[in-house]
Amino acid sequence: MWLLRPPGVYAPQSDTGTLVDELLREPSLPGARVLDVGTGSGAVALAAARAGAADVTAVDISSRAVLAARLNAVLRRARVRVLRGDLALPVGHRRFEIIVSNPPYVPSPSDRLPHRGPARSWAAGRTGRLLVDRLCAEAPPLLAPGGVLLMVHSGLCGTEKTVAQLEEAGLEAEVTARRTIPYGPVMRRLAPWLEAGGLVEPGQEHEELVVVRAVRSR
């Protein structure tokens, strides 16, 4: 799907496609209230709307991403509400049947999140979990009973930890998709730092993407 994407807005890649594939497998998607956290250009939100979701809300902290997602929704005549804000804060206490997220998750040398530039869409602190951890804490209360959270991230930032945190929050969590992909430009650039820190093996050129699915049973 061709999308408008201003400079600095995350380009849909393998993680986006993997998340969309898992979203489209959800039997509750038609007629569901869907929240897309960290929407970027709006690719996942648009996929939800096209698949019959009744209400789709997309959020991003980047004003450029918000503009891109709004324009892409208009161009495709998709009913997607796009809000600007920090993770799910703009939606208040609303509840959703499905929450999806492709947050920044790449381990990076600084624990200060960038406030501008392309790195804002991928840099996530030394562990890669600055935003993943927040989502594990902030998303569960926004799920309706029986609601589903789908989050994609790299295995480098700790798949087991994500599952454990979501289970501690009262959800039933598991990995439903794994995909091994070659390093992209960002990972190739960071490879020496990742190797020095023992986060990847010397000469490693691939990473694993995972989708964690978590259900609120009550």
Side-chain angles (χ1 to χ4, degrees):
M1 178 170 57
W2 180 87
L3 296 171
L4 289 173
R5 187 182 63 83
V9 176
Y10 186 72
Q13 298 180 43
S14 297
D15 48 5
T16 312
T18 303
L19 182 58
V20 168
D21 288 345
E22 292 304 297
L23 171 64
L24 296 180
R25 291 191 178 98
E26 288 297 325
S28 64
L29 180 55
R33 292 167 293 177
V34 177
L35 173 63
D36 179 15
V37 181
T39 193
S41 60
V44 182
L46 290 171
R50 191 169 60 247
D55 182 273
V56 182
T57 301
V59 179
D60 205 289
I61 198 169
S62 164
S63 56
R64 289 189 180 190
V66 168
L67 176 61
R70 286 175 178 168
L71 288 174
N72 285 321
V74 169
L75 288 172
R76 281 156 187 78
R77 299 180 181 178
R79 297 184 64 180
V80 176
R81 179 188 304 106
V82 186
L83 306 175
R84 182 172 183 263
D86 187 12
L87 294 184
L89 288 178
V91 303
H93 299 290
R94 291 183 60 202
R95 296 289 186 92
F96 300 87
E97 280 78 39
I98 299 176
I99 298 175
V100 290
S101 186
N102 181 6
Y105 56 71
V106 177
S108 50
S110 174
D111 274 333
R112 292 187 62 185
L113 293 175
H115 295 293
R116 60 179 60 87
R120 195 179 197 183
S121 66
W122 55 261
R126 292 179 179 273
T127 64
R129 296 194 61 88
L130 289 183
L131 294 165
V132 170
D133 285 343
R134 282 188 57 196
L135 279 165
C136 288
E138 296 176 19
L142 301 178
L143 288 171
V148 174
L149 168 67
L150 297 170
M151 182 179 359
V152 64
H153 64 65
S154 172
L156 293 178
C157 60
T159 305
E160 294 79 9
K161 186 170 184 179
T162 299
V163 170
Q165 286 182 339
L166 291 170
E167 289 181 341
E168 288 171 7
L171 307 185
E172 299 174 3
E174 63 177 335
V175 176
T176 57
R178 297 180 183 271
R179 184 176 181 184
T180 300
I181 62 168
Y183 282 173
V186 170
M187 290 294 293
R188 287 197 296 270
R189 188 167 65 250
L190 288 173
W193 176 78
L194 293 167
E195 290 179 9
L199 296 173
V200 301
E201 297 294 326
Q204 183 173 326
E205 296 180 348
H206 294 75
E207 66 173 322
E208 182 182 59
L209 297 176
V210 300
V211 176
V212 177
R213 181 180 187 269
V215 182
R216 180 176 180 178
S217 57
R218 59 185 186 280

